[in-house]
Amino acid sequence: MTASSHSDSVVVLFGATAGAYGAKLGSDERELILLVWQVVDLQSKKVGTLHKCLVKADSLELSDQCREVTGLTPEGLSKAEPLDRVLQQFSQLVSSDLKALGRNSYTFCTDGQLLIRQVLHPEASKKNLLLSDCFYSFYDLRKEFHNSYPNSASVKDQSIQSMAEYTGFTIDETEEDFGVWQVKAMVAIIFNMLSDTCVADQTFTDPETVKYKYETGPCSKSETVDSETVIRARGLPWQSSDQDIARFFKGLNIAKGGVALCLNAQGRRNGEALVRFVNSEQRDLALERHKHHMGSRYIEVYKATGEEFLKIAGGTSNEVAQFLSKENQVIIRMRGLPFTATPEDVLGFLGPECPVTGGKEGLLFVKYPDGRPTGDAFVLFACEEYAQNALKKHKEILGKRYIELFRSTAAEVQQVLNRYMSTPLIPTLPAPIIPVIPPPYTIAAGSMRDCVRLRGLPYTAGIDDILEFMGDATADIKPHGVHMVLNQQGRPSGDAFIQMKSSDRAFLVAQKCHKKMMKDRYVEVFQCSGEEMNFVLMGGTLNRSGLSPPPCKLPCLSPPAYTAFQTAAAAMIPAEAAIYQSQALLPPSRTQQASAAAAAAAAAATPAVTYYPAQAAQLYMNYTAYYPSPPVSPTTVGYITAPPAAVAAAASATHTPMLPQPGALVRMQGLPYNAGMKEILSFFQGYQYAPDDYSGLVQLNDQARSVLQAPKEWVCL
């Protein structure tokens, strides 16, 4: 191989940011403030003019290390040009130097990977600057040097000083400005490598590349994924797509189809993603972006395993593989489709302004194992323009339902199909029926403002997090006085109510804890009364304009004029909740887990104060009294029933009426909000009679019991 096979020329490039230097360059997300470069003709060994250019950052605050190492000051940087103009000047000056040397092409040569991958590409992406093609290919001088001199230090231990010393070049850092001596030393190292006939033919032939864009694609469970190439990103905005995640890691090469958005138990995104890179070197660089920002949110980056990635992104369905075989397509997820929707209906809904790739072949309807539609579908679009047109139809009406549209990924397609086809997205409840046990405490009522409301809690917050948040004020909480509020789907709503021992204590807590941070969010704390608390627990809303009643008007369950939560209604909640184990709705807190280990020792001691409702009575959620069904979807007959032996044992121990047989209880979904008991009984007309004692399973108020006992054809709970 001769020297003519080399690149015509290289541009030796060096830079610095306003923050960390050396091996941590770019890890602190600080902006670029300095560029130094020089054109080198590899064949004639001639050089162009050495240029040094300051860059004006958006923030002129410099770290102490930056000030010490570079000697730069905010005053000097304030007179510089911003990055976009510096890049324009750079392009013009390089073109001029190349023309003077009789060359017309070049490749960057940098000291390691960081300047290109961790500084220039991420910053340009955040500032919406379009980098020219030359920034997508470069030579890593450390790798070139180690390949030429295998006996030298390893690549990660190399530095400009160590490479110069190995070749016998002497550096006097005091004679030149920062950045200038580095470029001069790198040029001298390159010339020494080209002069060495043993290594000259092996240098500058295989440049590093940066991918222009993220490539989508399917992943099979049979693939082998190296655990040294996978990371887990946490804290992502729920609406972020694979392209958004790829943009966050701009400059690093993600494997084809390597972004897998994670879904929670309900099939919705949980703010996490697994990302697979092309090699371990890229993965290690990705870990350095821990707590970098996506918009206003910081993203946590941790190591993950290949098994975790395959569990999320791997698929086995031929239908999905065929659907995803059309590469470089933008995927949109549609949610809330009518169960009767056909491909023609979906294509008509999307319209001619956003044509689907392949027509019907570009649609994938998600179904249950028995073939029933789930209301979800995935759609392929050939370009970003078509996808954006489709997203504009978010929440438009198809039939009688509004349709939600979101950007999606190949991994999400695999994950949704896998989970629907294997097990329900919402975990099943195999636990036995728990007999009804009246709560040993009373729910607060009245106008005394001895309660506080916590609003804006992190969705991952548990009872122990709330107790830690309140600090010393936990001593003033009434026993069983912490109530977590869940939404209609059984997920945390971000609200909680605390019953304090007095209104004075509630006032002090509200003053002390208002807008105090819990994890990464501030929490609002307001003083309120027991009556106001119960309105919210029953489905109403509490805001500055006052109380708004719950939205449901079912005559059999709604108290007249939406009065406060009376004793009869209060008893209904634990009775209904007793059928379903509470830990299916609220995960056990660390406090509960720790107390289990000390149960034996605590038996002889004075009982500790319990701040949260015990066992089944823990279920206090919006709409509970009005829609007394748990946030799960039974999929089989006898879904929530226990083995006969467990039921018999529980019944004999408590003498509480239990279900006489499996499958006697059914759940109805999708009821009109104005449906009453008579409409439900009419719907089941013609079915067998229920036992007379069936209504004893749930404690009802007199009004509801009279409605249930009047028609004896069927009883529906």
Side-chain angles (χ1 to χ4, degrees):
M1 184 179 292
T2 63
S4 60
S5 63
H6 295 162
S7 299
D8 287 342
S9 56
V10 296
V11 173
V12 177
L13 183 67
F14 182 84
T17 69
Y21 170 72
K24 289 294 182 180
L25 183 69
S27 64
D28 53 4
E29 216 176 357
R30 301 298 293 272
E31 295 173 275
L32 187 74
I33 59 170
L34 174 68
L35 278 179
V36 186
W37 70 89
Q38 188 172 29
V39 178
V40 178
D41 187 335
L42 296 179
Q43 296 185 16
S44 65
K45 298 183 181 179
K46 295 181 180 179
V47 297
T49 305
L50 191 150
H51 300 276
K52 179 178 179 178
C53 189
L54 299 181
V55 183
K56 183 180 180 180
D58 293 341
S59 172
L60 295 177
E61 181 181 356
L62 306 181
S63 69
D64 294 339
Q65 184 185 24
C66 176
R67 291 172 180 267
E68 180 181 352
V69 173
T70 66
L72 298 175
T73 62
E75 293 75 18
L77 291 173
S78 64
K79 302 175 183 178
E81 297 286 350
L83 181 60
D84 55 345
R85 295 184 182 179
V86 170
L87 293 178
Q88 292 177 2
Q89 296 175 8
F90 168 84
S91 179
Q92 295 170 358
L93 292 172
V94 169
S95 297
S96 177
D97 289 344
L98 286 173
K99 186 176 181 180
L101 293 172
R103 300 297 177 187
N104 54 18
S105 66
Y106 67 92
T107 305
F108 283 123
C109 180
T110 61
D111 175 31
Q113 308 264 316
L114 302 182
L115 179 61
I116 297 292
R117 295 193 186 275
Q118 298 285 65
V119 177
L120 280 167
H121 277 284
E123 185 171 342
S125 177
K126 290 175 183 176
K127 295 181 177 180
N128 292 317
L129 303 179
L130 185 63
L131 294 178
S132 60
D133 292 346
C134 62
F135 287 93
Y136 289 86
S137 177
F138 67 98
Y139 291 112
D140 181 345
L141 183 59
R142 299 187 184 192
K143 288 187 177 181
E144 296 293 330
F145 189 86
H146 185 73
N147 291 338
S148 300
Y149 303 103
N151 294 329
S152 62
S154 62
V155 174
K156 68 176 183 178
D157 294 329
Q158 295 279 17
S159 65
I160 295 177
Q161 292 91 332
S162 67
M163 290 185 289
E165 292 173 1
Y166 191 90
T167 58
F169 180 76
T170 303
I171 298 178
D172 188 354
E173 302 177 13
T174 60
E175 292 185 1
E176 304 288 356
D177 292 340
F178 179 81
V180 173
W181 69 262
Q182 283 95 335
V183 170
K184 287 186 175 181
M186 291 168 68
V187 171
I189 294 168
I190 291 172
F191 283 160
N192 187 83
M193 293 167 62
L194 294 175
S195 300
D196 192 335
T197 56
C198 296
V199 301
D201 293 340
Q202 304 174 20
T203 57
F204 305 111
T205 59
D206 187 18
E208 298 280 321
T209 59
V210 179
K211 285 190 175 183
Y212 283 87
K213 63 179 183 179
Y214 168 68
E215 299 176 283
T216 62
C219 175
S220 172
K221 284 191 179 294
S222 60
E223 288 188 34
T224 301
V225 178
D226 185 359
S227 292
E228 296 299 315
T229 63
V230 183
I231 62 94
R232 179 184 295 273
R234 296 178 56 187
L236 299 166
W238 67 268
Q239 69 271 35
S240 58
S241 68
D242 53 352
Q243 298 295 340
D244 297 321
I245 296 170
R247 186 175 182 181
F248 175 80
F249 290 108
K250 187 69 174 177
L252 306 181
N253 293 340
I254 299 175
K256 184 177 179 180
V259 177
L261 295 167
C262 301
L263 306 181
N264 62 15
Q266 287 75 35
R268 297 176 182 268
R269 298 176 187 175
N270 63 1
E272 295 188 8
L274 294 171
V275 185
R276 177 189 180 190
F277 294 89
V278 295
N279 54 42
S280 59
E281 180 184 30
Q282 304 290 305
R283 193 283 303 267
D284 292 341
L285 292 175
L287 292 172
E288 293 296 328
R289 300 198 186 182
H290 179 59
K291 292 197 174 181
H292 282 204
H293 287 76
M294 180 183 289
S296 60
R297 302 185 62 162
Y298 71 83
I299 309 301
E300 299 172 274
V301 182
Y302 303 100
K303 291 182 179 180
T305 65
E307 290 77 9
E308 290 176 303
F309 182 83
L310 285 176
K311 183 178 180 181
I312 298 298
T316 57
S317 171
N318 292 330
E319 182 184 13
V320 176
Q322 184 177 358
F323 175 77
L324 297 175
S325 61
K326 301 177 179 65
E327 298 180 0
N328 299 323
Q329 300 288 310
V330 183
I331 305 175
I332 297 296
R333 181 180 181 181
M334 302 180 70
R335 194 167 63 199
L337 291 169
F339 295 146
T340 57
T342 64
E344 290 78 10
D345 295 332
V346 175
L347 294 175
F349 172 80
L350 294 171
E353 64 272 17
C354 39
V356 177
T357 301
K360 294 181 182 180
E361 295 181 359
L363 298 176
L364 179 64
F365 288 89
V366 183
K367 299 180 180 179
Y368 290 108
D370 59 4
R372 291 180 297 114
T374 65
D376 279 25
F378 293 94
V379 190
L380 295 178
F381 294 99
C383 63
E384 186 66 31
E385 179 184 357
Y386 295 160
Q388 289 296 333
N389 290 338
L391 291 173
K392 293 177 183 178
K393 298 180 180 293
H394 180 59
K395 291 197 174 181
E396 289 190 7
I397 302 297
L398 174 59
K400 295 183 179 180
R401 306 189 65 172
Y402 71 84
I403 311 302
E404 298 174 295
L405 291 94
F406 309 98
R407 297 185 66 100
S408 188
T409 68
E412 185 174 20
V413 176
Q414 295 278 25
Q415 192 177 175
V416 170
L417 266 294
N418 288 346
R419 297 176 73 177
Y420 267 114
M421 293 302 293
S422 57
T423 57
L425 284 174
I426 302 177
T428 57
L429 295 178
I433 296 175
I434 305 171
V436 176
I437 303 175
Y441 58 93
T442 58
I443 303 295
S447 59
M448 181 180 293
R449 300 176 63 80
D450 58 351
C451 302
V452 291
R453 179 187 185 186
L454 276 59
R455 189 170 66 184
L457 295 168
Y459 294 133
T460 57
I463 299 295
D464 49 344
D465 296 310
I466 292 177
L467 298 180
E468 181 180 353
F469 171 80
M470 296 187 64
D472 296 338
T474 54
D476 299 317
I477 299 175
K478 287 184 179 181
H480 305 286
V482 178
H483 305 280
M484 301 290 290
V485 181
L486 308 183
N487 62 19
Q488 192 174 356
Q489 289 73 39
R491 295 189 296 271
S493 66
D495 279 21
F497 284 90
I498 315 294
Q499 294 176 253
M500 307 301 293
K501 292 181 178 179
S502 67
S503 57
D504 293 339
R505 297 299 182 183
F507 175 79
L508 292 175
V509 170
Q511 293 293 317
K512 179 181 178 181
C513 298
H514 184 55
K515 291 195 174 182
K516 179 181 173 182
M517 298 298 294
M518 180 186 293
K519 298 183 178 179
D520 58 343
R521 301 186 62 172
Y522 73 83
V523 178
E524 297 176 294
V525 184
F526 306 104
Q527 186 181 8
C528 66
S529 66
E531 180 181 8
E532 293 169 336
M533 179 185 80
N534 285 310
F535 262 83
V536 177
L537 293 179
M538 291 286 287
T541 58
L542 172 62
N543 49 42
R544 293 180 180 177
S545 60
L547 295 172
S548 298
C552 180
K553 301 182 184 299
L554 292 181
C556 63
L557 293 176
S558 300
Y562 302 104
T563 58
F565 201 176
Q566 301 299 325
T567 306
M572 185 191 301
I573 291 182
E576 279 293 324
I579 303 177
Y580 312 96
Q581 278 196 328
S582 59
Q583 47 264 48
L585 307 173
L586 290 175
S589 65
R590 293 190 295 273
T591 306
Q592 291 170 288
Q593 295 169 350
S595 63
T606 303
V609 176
T610 302
Y611 295 107
Y612 47 90
Q615 206 162 14
Q618 213 167 357
L619 176 61
Y620 286 98
M621 55 187 288
N622 290 344
Y623 313 116
T624 300
Y626 299 103
Y627 303 100
S629 56
V632 294
S633 299
T635 56
T636 59
V637 176
Y639 176 76
I640 59 168
T641 58
V647 176
S652 61
T654 61
H655 304 289
T656 305
M658 305 299 292
L659 283 177
Q661 59 202 24
L665 182 65
V666 296
R667 178 188 180 189
M668 299 178 67
Q669 286 185 301
L671 288 170
Y673 289 118
N674 58 355
M677 183 63 68
K678 293 183 179 180
E679 287 82 3
I680 297 175
L681 295 173
S682 177
F683 178 82
F684 284 107
Q685 185 175 5
Y687 286 86
Q688 66 183 22
Y689 290 11
D692 291 338
D693 61 345
Y694 191 52
S695 60
L697 175 65
V698 179
Q699 300 178 18
L700 303 173
N701 57 29
D702 294 338
Q703 181 185 7
R705 190 183 306 279
S706 63
V707 175
L708 285 175
Q709 292 178 346
K712 296 303 294 181
E713 298 84 22
W714 181 262
V715 175
C716 181
L717 302 179

